[in-house]
Amino acid sequence: MKYSESEFNRLFKENQSSLKSFIYRLVTNTEDVEDICQEAFIKAYKNIESFNGKSTFKTWLFAITSNLIKDHFKAQKRWTRYAQDNCSQSIKNSIESQDETMRLYALGKFEIRNHIDYCFTCVMKYLPIERQIAIMLADIYEFKIVEIAQILNKTIGSVKHLLYNGRNTMKQVFNEDCILIHKTGACWKCSELSNSGNTKADTQQKIAKLEMVKAKNKGVDNAKLYTLRTQLVKAINPLESSSHELHDFLLNQTDFANNKSYSRIDKDCGE
């Protein structure tokens, strides 16, 4: 199958927005997004003649990009189970980091929905990279199992295994930590950040309107809650959200604080 330069550029442009958000959710660094996206463009353009039409152009492009992302993570460790707690402590231990958090918070309108999207990315990063990619492709970008198998160069059975294990881990973490759906949840971020500049009543009113919170109050199981969470995440482009700069800072701070040890300081950011 032959493509002209203009046809290739059109197809790449059609997929560029979803491709960039996919890269960002996995590498969590804006500068790396541009580098990997550009590298994917070059690699796809150079190898366009190898595209045989057995998959869609989008699937082929995401396969190239997924391999680049896996290469990117070869020398890096995935986040530990308590990486977000380390991020919290690292900020509390630094006046400069607290000031930067509050400065970025003030730049945009804090939205609980955007923060749930951010949280989904954080929890996903506890997983091995292939489970991360499989979760993203299936649950957020709505690729079919057979397409994910093509992207990851795995059997359909292997992809189902990746998704089963990845989803189970994420559902367990959300159930244990998320204060939105679990009264004893340990996660500090939604309450701590959303209360910076908001009254507690305003924050609770916003939380009560979320579909997954309504569902939890009706006794819906963890599988359904996970689906409601992914439906919310699908509707958000993290690179275009009003909270992007704040969340980008927090993601980079978490990456920095991962595997480090901090003495605990029991206060909210900005106090």
Side-chain angles (χ1 to χ4, degrees), residues 207-242:
I207 290 172
K209 291 179 181 179
L210 294 171
E211 288 301 319
M212 67 180 197
V213 174
K214 293 178 185 177
K216 179 62 178 178
N217 292 337
K218 293 178 181 178
V220 168
D221 64 24
N222 289 339
K224 179 62 176 177
L225 289 173
Y226 177 81
T227 299
L228 289 170
R229 192 183 292 267
T230 59
Q231 287 173 352
L232 184 152
V233 172
K234 284 178 195 176
I236 295 170
N237 184 332
L239 292 166
E240 297 175 359
S241 80
S242 60

Side-chain angles (χ1 to χ4, degrees), residues 24 28 104 110-119 122 189 193 238 241-254:
Y24 181 72
T28 61
L104 292 171
F110 182 89
E111 294 286 349
I112 290 288
R113 291 175 183 272
N114 289 339
H115 201 67
I116 291 170
D117 170 59
Y118 156 81
C119 182
C122 288
K189 284 192 171 72
L193 283 172
S241 80
S242 60
S243 306
H244 170 63
E245 288 190 70
L246 171 62
H247 290 157
D248 192 54
F249 170 76
L250 291 174
L251 287 166
N252 280 281
Q253 192 70 24
T254 306

Side-chain angles (χ1 to χ4, degrees), residues 148-240:
I148 300 171
Q150 291 172 329
I151 289 170
L152 292 175
N153 193 27
K154 289 188 174 294
T155 65
I156 289 174
S158 294
V159 171
K160 288 180 178 179
H161 189 67
L162 289 171
L163 290 171
Y164 177 80
N165 286 329
R167 286 167 178 161
N168 277 351
T169 298
M170 294 188 75
K171 284 183 281 190
Q172 180 183 349
V173 173
F174 287 133
N175 187 54
E176 291 175 357
D177 286 10
C178 182
I179 63 170
L180 300 179
I181 63 171
H182 199 289
K183 289 182 179 179
T184 58
C187 183
W188 59 279
K189 284 192 171 72
C190 278
S191 58
E192 189 167 291
L193 283 172
S194 61
N195 283 326
S196 300
N198 292 303
T199 66
K200 189 170 184 179
D202 286 341
T203 300
Q204 291 305 314
Q205 189 175 41
K206 290 177 183 177
I207 290 172
K209 291 179 181 179
L210 294 171
E211 288 301 319
M212 67 180 197
V213 174
K214 293 178 185 177
K216 179 62 178 178
N217 292 337
K218 293 178 181 178
V220 168
D221 64 24
N222 289 339
K224 179 62 176 177
L225 289 173
Y226 177 81
T227 299
L228 289 170
R229 192 183 292 267
T230 59
Q231 287 173 352
L232 184 152
V233 172
K234 284 178 195 176
I236 295 170
N237 184 332
L239 292 166
E240 297 175 359

